[in-house]
Amino acid sequence: MTFDFTNKNVLITGGSRGIGSVAAKLFADAGANVIITYNANKKAAEDTIASLGAGDHSFYQLDVADAIAIEHFFDEFSKKYDRLDILVNNAAAHLEHKILETRFDTWRQNWEQTLQTNLMGPANMCYFAAKIMVKQQAGKIINVSSRGAFRGEPDNPAYGASKAGVNSMSQSLALVLAPHNISVHIIAPGFVSTEMATDKLSGPNGEAIKSQSPFGRVAKPEEVATLIAVYASEGLEFASAGIVDINGASYLRS
C-alpha cells in the first residue's frame, strides 16, 4: 500500500515505541515531517527519530495527563511548525485495578490516572490542534480507541470507560469540526504485539489471548499503523466520526 504525506506535519503522541513508533516510520517514509511525544523513555524517542531519515522531524517530552504541559507543548510546537495537518492521539495508560482485589486508594488513583491520560489527554490535544486546524481550514484527527470500549475490561474498568469516552468525544468533535474541513476518525484495536505486551503474550495466558481471534494471533503494530495512515489520507473525510475495528474478529459488534 502506497501513501503520500509529502510535507505534511504529523503529530503522534506516545510515538517513541509500539504502534506510535511504527506509525511515525510509516508517515516519514511517505514524506511527512513527524513530531512525536514521549512520556519517560527519551532514548526510545531519540532512536525513533533517528530511524526516520530525511525530514523536519522532532520529539518532545510530554505527559498528556498534564493539561498545562499540553498547553506549553503547543506553544513550543507553534514556534517551529506553521501547520498541523494530522494529529494521532496514541498515548495511553493501562493500569490493572480489579474491583474485588484492589485497595480503594489504588482503585481511585488508577481511575484518575487512566482517565487523565486516556480521555482528558486526547481531549486537550484535540482542543489545541483544532485551534490550528481551523485557521488553516483543513486537518485530520485520528484517535486510537480500543475494543475494550465495547466488550468491557473487567480487570481494567477505567481503561474501557476511558476508551468509550474517546469514542463519544471524537464523534462530538467530528460534528463541530466538519464545517472547517477537519475530520475526526477513531481506530479501535484489539490486542497488539507491542513491547508492552511481550510479558502477557509470552506468559501462561499468551495462547488464550491469541486464540481470541480466529486468526490465532494478535495484531501487528504495522497493521494498526497502516489503518491509521489510511484514515489520515486525503479522500476519506466523509468517513469522519466512524469507529473502525481492527481486532482480527476477536470481538464482533453491529
Side-chain angles (χ1 to χ4, degrees):
M1 188 174 295
T2 302
F3 297 103
D4 184 4
F5 295 105
T6 302
N7 295 325
K8 298 287 188 182
N9 293 338
V10 180
L11 169 58
I12 304 172
T13 66
S16 65
R17 57 182 180 170
I19 294 168
S21 180
V22 174
K25 185 71 164 61
L26 190 159
F27 279 113
D29 287 347
N33 302 312
V34 177
I35 304 95
I36 65 171
T37 72
Y38 72 97
N39 186 16
N41 194 335
K42 183 178 181 180
K43 178 62 165 57
E46 291 173 336
D47 290 345
T48 296
I49 291 296
S51 73
L52 300 185
D56 191 9
H57 312 307
S58 58
F59 67 95
Y60 296 84
Q61 193 283 324
L62 176 65
D63 179 0
V64 297
D66 186 337
I68 301 303
I70 289 177
E71 184 175 16
H72 290 163
F73 162 77
F74 274 97
D75 287 341
E76 292 302 309
F77 175 90
S78 296
K79 292 175 183 177
K80 182 174 175 62
Y81 299 97
D82 60 356
R83 291 180 60 85
L84 175 56
D85 298 290
I86 299 160
L87 166 66
V88 181
N89 276 312
N90 169 69
H94 194 273
L95 306 173
E96 186 175 278
H97 46 286
K98 300 177 182 179
I99 190 168
L100 300 181
E101 301 175 22
T102 304
R103 290 170 51 90
F104 179 62
D105 56 346
T106 302
W107 168 268
R108 178 177 54 80
Q109 290 167 8
N110 286 358
W111 266 90
E112 290 175 355
Q113 180 64 35
T114 301
L115 292 177
Q116 283 298 124
T117 302
N118 296 3
L119 182 55
M120 288 307 303
N124 291 332
M125 293 295 296
C126 286
Y127 176 88
F128 288 103
K131 299 297 184 182
I132 298 171
M133 292 177 177
V134 165
K135 289 179 182 178
Q136 62 200 31
Q137 286 294 290
K140 296 260 191 177
I141 296 173
I142 317 291
N143 290 328
V144 179
S145 180
S146 170
R147 71 176 179 179
F150 306 105
R151 71 165 195 163
E153 292 285 339
D155 295 340
N156 311 274
Y159 182 81
S162 68
K163 293 301 187 176
V166 165
N167 294 345
S168 180
M169 173 199 68
S170 301
Q171 292 179 324
S172 296
L173 296 184
L175 293 170
V176 176
L177 298 176
H180 302 281
N181 196 33
I182 302 166
S183 56
V184 184
H185 307 270
I186 309 106
I187 307 295
F191 219 97
V192 184
S193 58
T194 62
E195 299 96 319
M196 293 179 66
T198 299
D199 288 345
K200 280 194 173 183
L201 291 176
S202 61
N205 297 321
E207 290 306 312
I209 292 171
K210 294 174 186 176
S211 68
Q212 292 173 7
S213 165
F215 287 99
R217 64 176 179 86
V218 300
K220 302 172 186 175
E222 291 80 5
E223 292 173 312
V224 181
T226 297
L227 190 57
I228 290 170
V230 166
Y231 282 91
S233 300
E234 294 182 7
L236 283 174
E237 291 74 20
F238 223 62
S240 187
I243 303 172
V244 184
D245 296 321
I246 177 166
N247 63 45
S250 64
Y251 181 81
L252 306 177
R253 64 189 181 91
S254 60

